[in-house]
Amino acid sequence: MAKNGKKNTTAKSKNVATGETHSALLELFTDEIKDIYWAEKHLTKALPKMKKAANSPELQDAFATHLEQTKGHVERLEQVFELLDKKPQAKKCDAMEGLVKEGEGIIEDTDDGTATRDVGLILAAQKVEHYEIAT
Ligand SMILES: [Fe+2]
Ligand SMILES: [Fe+2]
């Protein structure tokens, strides 16, 4: 890409050092924010279903608490967009879509009223959290 002189990523990286806002790194950062924004919003729809599917009251409470925290994460990301002087924009996150589908699969594959259902839900929720943490 650098050979034609049009897409010189080295020059773009230099902009980071000079404090200019248009850089490949800023673009990557913004893209990742859009990705996790989609993911967190998607979770606000998935968590109530997980709560409903859970059997133990403690696990139901944990999902309810986490739903409120997730709404807070959505708001915090909107603040990040504001700091970037950009409108909040979600970009579909294939990974989170897949993780939520896995959770739905666990609900389908386990019987209501069983501890196995709850174990599966915890497992699915932990996978989601690890994706969030990594991002
Ligand atoms: Fe979150
Ligand atoms: Fe979370």
Side-chain angles (χ1 to χ4, degrees), residues 20-83:
E20 285 175 48
T21 52
H22 293 285
S23 68
L25 185 58
L26 182 64
E27 197 181 314
L28 175 68
F29 178 72
T30 308
D31 255 24
E32 290 293 324
I33 295 292
K34 288 177 186 173
D35 173 286
I36 199 69
Y37 185 56
W38 189 96
E40 297 280 8
K41 280 168 62 124
H42 192 56
L43 284 169
T44 61
K45 292 175 228 156
L47 284 164
K49 293 178 203 166
M50 293 172 91
K51 184 195 162 205
K52 205 175 161 211
N55 293 300
S56 99
E58 289 92 340
L59 186 56
Q60 288 172 357
D61 282 354
F63 280 128
T65 302
H66 202 66
L67 174 62
E68 291 314 305
Q69 288 171 343
T70 303
K71 286 177 184 170
H73 293 170
V74 169
E75 281 171 20
R76 194 180 294 162
L77 286 164
E78 284 165 355
Q79 289 170 13
V80 174
F81 280 109
E82 208 178 310
L83 289 169

Side-chain angles (χ1 to χ4, degrees), residues 9-26:
T9 50
T10 309
K12 281 189 176 182
S13 297
K14 274 182 189 167
N15 287 348
V16 176
T18 57
E20 285 175 48
T21 52
H22 293 285
S23 68
L25 185 58
L26 182 64

